[in-house]
Amino acid sequence: MTQSLSSQLAVTAPIDLSRYDSRATTGFDGKKADAKKGLAAIGEELADLQEKLFAGGRAGTSPARVLVVLQGMDTAGKGGIVKHVAGLVDPQGLAITSFKKPTPEELEHDFLWRIEKALPEPGMIGIFDRSHYEDVLIGKVRQLAGPEEIERRYAAINDFEQAFTDSGGVIIKCFLHITTDDQKQRLAARLEDPAKYWKYDSGDLDERMLWDDYQRAYAVALTRCTSQDAPWHLVPSGHKWYRNWAVAMLLLERLRAMDLRWPEASFDVETEKKRLAAL
Amino acid sequence: MTQSLSSQLAVTAPIDLSRYDSRATTGFDGKKADAKKGLAAIGEELADLQEKLFAGGRAGTSPARVLVVLQGMDTAGKGGIVKHVAGLVDPQGLAITSFKKPTPEELEHDFLWRIEKALPEPGMIGIFDRSHYEDVLIGKVRQLAGPEEIERRYAAINDFEQAFTDSGGVIIKCFLHITTDDQKQRLAARLEDPAKYWKYDSGDLDERMLWDDYQRAYAVALTRCTSQDAPWHLVPSGHKWYRNWAVAMLLLERLRAMDLRWPEASFDVETEKKRLAAL
């Protein structure tokens, strides 16, 4: 039996990110063109399962909901996943949140306050483009909080995610792994193409200067906050086509495992048929 | 020169909905299979233009935003438009709101309060699945408000929409027109297929009994609230394939007319290239 992609990419022990190949194509047997075909095939099954998930939420018969957490250095492809993977399903069933620098109001609350408010409702697939993990990443690297508070946050995140999964939520956490060379190429491409200037922020270079600090912060976060119910996945993202395929497959594997079913009728079908026939 | 689809479908004078053919394929030269191909072609251009629209919002260089208002009797296809038309673009750039029966909190405010909060931000395409028009449709038919208040609302809607378009918004209003026979077929299909039970609500038949009242209320709303800047479009929706093609084309025509451009760089490109090369 083939191992699931989730088990192949799951983080289960302390890691050193510099030892991972961003161009790996773990679990995928083929080339770029095959991945595009594979993605389209995944898309059809995803769309079917997503409709069942959505139906359960709409009918109020199931608390099931899904949250995809996307993290990665700038240019790793968080936006690309939203477009190419989330774009495979009915947008009505998506709740996409892109987390920016916290507002003054958000800063007045615990770091999980704004996250809680953005959790998907039953039936929905939530996508977090950045997330509560920023608070142990930039929060740690830029020392926006002291060491004790950062320490507290790992545990708070684990409790928070456990509560989510205990209440019918499924969480899929993807770290989109690229190297400093991958990022250099992609930032350069943004500076070459006027159609991509809007994606470029000169602040990105300030963060790039702290690359090693971020990699260490990621390694800690991925290790401290991975569990059976809410594992982190290390998704090699040097090849965009592999990255898209892999995240779509991780989502598909989880949806398949949810054993989603169409809700039962909440009315008497024969009675309604007769009523309709008379109208 | 071919007339735009918008001008062909726009409501410009008092109408009697019973005189419109729901199976018309106005402005489309071909059959079902051609419409599917046509929709895919529209999708590519739509996705490009939507990215430009989104870029302007993200860069803060343009107040442009788009709102698609979907109205129609049950089964007319509001959800289908979200899936098949909105589904053509990057979901990151979509803000979809499905308006239900107002909550007690919403009822404490003016009817436009919840609408205002759901308007798309610059760069976004908002989709309203039902809208402020419910307040002059079910509101009128079910006498949820008195005649004077209903009368006030037409003017309030016009002022509200004018303010939206004056501030960089583009509004595309689509009435998805079906007949009572179309609806009967579609409701029957929902009662035949367990995968569709969740879409069925026995309350739908109560509204169906008021069909003629709704048609009259629609005719008034479409006539009173149509204007050069915010015209209503009567979209024949007896054929789902035509309906999807037509709404996608209405959206495409408006996006084309917006003369969307990539934002200029907010930084000095050469300086940034040098900084990047050194890192």
Side-chain angles (χ1 to χ4, degrees):
Chain A
M1 190 185 149
T2 320
Q3 229 189 341
S4 71
L5 186 66
S6 177
S7 67
Q8 291 179 75
L9 297 182
V11 175
T12 53
I15 48 169
D16 173 357
L17 287 172
S18 68
R19 297 187 49 227
Y20 283 85
D21 178 7
S22 72
R23 306 286 174 121
T25 57
T26 312
F28 184 75
D29 183 24
K31 304 261 181 213
K32 186 172 177 176
D34 305 309
K36 290 200 170 175
K37 271 183 242 164
L39 189 62
I42 289 171
E44 288 185 28
E45 192 178 344
L46 266 188
D48 281 348
L49 291 170
Q50 179 268 333
E51 193 181 355
K52 279 189 182 140
L53 175 70
F54 185 76
R58 190 54 70 92
T61 54
S62 167
R65 52 210 165 119
V66 172
L67 175 64
V68 179
V69 172
L70 301 174
Q71 286 286 162
M73 299 296 286
D74 288 319
T75 78
K78 300 179 291 291
I81 295 293
V82 175
K83 182 173 181 174
H84 297 288
V85 179
L88 295 169
V89 306
D90 187 344
Q92 191 176 194
L94 293 173
I96 300 165
T97 311
S98 183
F99 288 99
K100 312 287 180 198
K101 192 178 158 185
T103 62
E105 188 193 12
E106 287 168 351
L107 286 174
E108 279 175 21
H109 294 83
D110 182 65
F111 75 107
L112 290 170
W113 180 72
R114 64 176 186 163
I115 306 298
E116 175 96 42
K117 289 200 300 174
L119 286 176
E121 299 288 319
M124 301 294 283
I125 297 179
I127 313 272
F128 281 1
D129 173 351
R130 301 187 188 273
S131 67
H132 41 303
Y133 283 93
E134 291 296 323
D135 296 284
V136 291
L137 294 166
I138 192 170
K140 182 183 173 101
V141 171
R142 293 279 186 187
Q143 300 180 330
L144 304 177
E148 279 182 26
E149 168 63 9
I150 296 292
E151 194 59 32
R152 182 191 73 82
R153 289 179 183 174
Y154 298 120
I157 287 173
N158 287 334
D159 289 347
F160 177 79
E161 293 182 356
Q162 191 65 52
F164 179 72
T165 55
D166 285 348
S167 68
V170 160
I171 183 166
I172 301 167
K173 298 185 291 190
C174 301
F175 170 63
L176 308 179
H177 176 55
I178 56 170
T179 64
T180 177
D181 283 343
D182 293 326
Q183 189 190 59
K184 192 168 205 168
Q185 274 182 32
R186 292 179 186 179
L187 288 175
R190 290 182 181 179
L191 289 170
E192 286 302 329
D193 182 353
K196 291 182 176 163
Y197 288 166
W198 68 278
K199 296 185 180 185
Y200 185 87
D201 181 330
S202 57
D204 295 350
L205 292 191
D206 302 330
E207 299 306 301
R208 178 173 168 79
M209 286 167 39
L210 299 168
W211 186 276
D212 292 341
D213 293 340
Y214 273 105
Q215 299 296 296
R216 279 190 293 269
Y218 265 113
V220 175
L222 268 56
T223 308
R224 294 286 298 274
C225 299
T226 199
S227 66
Q228 185 74 27
D229 283 346
W232 265 108
H233 300 92
L234 202 159
V235 180
S237 299
H239 291 302
K240 294 177 184 177
W241 54 266
Y242 172 77
R243 173 201 74 199
N244 293 343
W245 175 86
V247 175
M249 182 55 86
L250 290 173
L251 179 55
L252 180 59
E253 285 180 352
R254 293 301 290 274
L255 286 171
R256 278 178 180 161
M258 290 170 79
D259 190 28
L260 298 162
R261 292 160 191 268
W262 295 114
E264 308 265 328
S266 61
F267 45 84
D268 184 72
V269 176
E270 293 311 317
T271 304
E272 293 300 314
K273 281 186 185 172
K274 276 181 208 143
R275 280 185 72 202
L276 176 62
L279 287 176
Chain B
M1 189 185 151
T2 321
Q3 232 190 337
S4 71
L5 186 65
S6 177
S7 66
Q8 292 179 76
L9 298 182
V11 175
T12 55
I15 48 171
D16 172 358
L17 288 172
S18 67
R19 296 188 49 225
Y20 283 84
D21 178 7
S22 72
R23 305 285 174 121
T25 57
T26 313
F28 185 73
D29 184 23
K31 304 258 181 213
K32 184 171 177 177
D34 305 310
K36 289 201 171 172
K37 270 184 239 162
L39 188 64
I42 289 172
E44 288 186 29
E45 192 178 345
L46 266 188
D48 281 349
L49 291 169
Q50 180 267 335
E51 193 182 355
K52 279 189 181 141
L53 175 70
F54 186 75
R58 189 55 69 94
T61 54
S62 168
R65 53 211 165 120
V66 172
L67 175 64
V68 179
V69 172
L70 301 174
Q71 286 285 163
M73 298 297 286
D74 288 319
T75 76
K78 301 179 290 292
I81 295 293
V82 174
K83 182 172 181 174
H84 297 288
V85 180
L88 295 169
V89 307
D90 186 344
Q92 191 175 195
L94 293 173
I96 299 164
T97 311
S98 183
F99 289 98
K100 312 287 181 199
K101 192 176 160 186
T103 62
E105 188 192 14
E106 287 168 351
L107 286 174
E108 280 175 19
H109 294 83
D110 182 64
F111 76 106
L112 290 170
W113 180 73
R114 63 175 185 162
I115 307 297
E116 175 96 42
K117 290 199 301 175
L119 285 176
E121 298 288 319
M124 301 295 282
I125 297 179
I127 314 272
F128 282 1
D129 173 350
R130 302 187 188 270
S131 68
H132 40 304
Y133 283 94
E134 290 296 324
D135 296 284
V136 291
L137 294 166
I138 191 169
K140 183 184 173 100
V141 171
R142 293 276 185 189
Q143 299 180 329
L144 304 177
E148 278 183 28
E149 169 62 9
I150 297 290
E151 193 59 32
R152 182 191 74 80
R153 288 179 184 175
Y154 298 119
I157 287 173
N158 287 334
D159 290 347
F160 177 78
E161 293 182 356
Q162 190 65 51
F164 179 72
T165 56
D166 286 349
S167 68
V170 160
I171 182 165
I172 301 166
K173 298 186 290 190
C174 301
F175 170 64
L176 309 178
H177 175 55
I178 55 171
T179 64
T180 178
D181 284 343
D182 293 326
Q183 191 190 58
K184 192 168 204 167
Q185 274 182 31
R186 292 178 186 180
L187 288 175
R190 289 182 182 179
L191 289 170
E192 285 302 329
D193 183 355
K196 291 182 175 164
Y197 287 166
W198 67 278
K199 296 185 180 186
Y200 185 87
D201 182 330
S202 56
D204 294 351
L205 292 191
D206 301 330
E207 298 306 300
R208 180 173 167 79
M209 286 165 61
L210 300 167
W211 187 275
D212 291 341
D213 293 340
Y214 273 106
Q215 298 296 296
R216 278 190 292 270
Y218 264 114
V220 175
L222 268 54
T223 307
R224 294 285 300 273
C225 299
T226 197
S227 66
Q228 186 73 28
D229 283 346
W232 266 108
H233 300 91
L234 201 159
V235 180
S237 299
H239 291 302
K240 294 177 183 177
W241 55 266
Y242 172 78
R243 173 200 74 199
N244 294 343
W245 174 86
V247 175
M249 182 55 87
L250 290 172
L251 179 56
L252 180 59
E253 285 180 352
R254 293 300 292 274
L255 285 172
R256 279 179 180 160
M258 290 170 78
D259 191 28
L260 298 162
R261 291 159 192 270
W262 296 113
E264 307 265 327
S266 61
F267 45 84
D268 184 72
V269 176
E270 294 311 315
T271 304
E272 293 300 315
K273 282 185 184 172
K274 277 180 206 143
R275 279 184 73 201
L276 175 63
L279 285 175

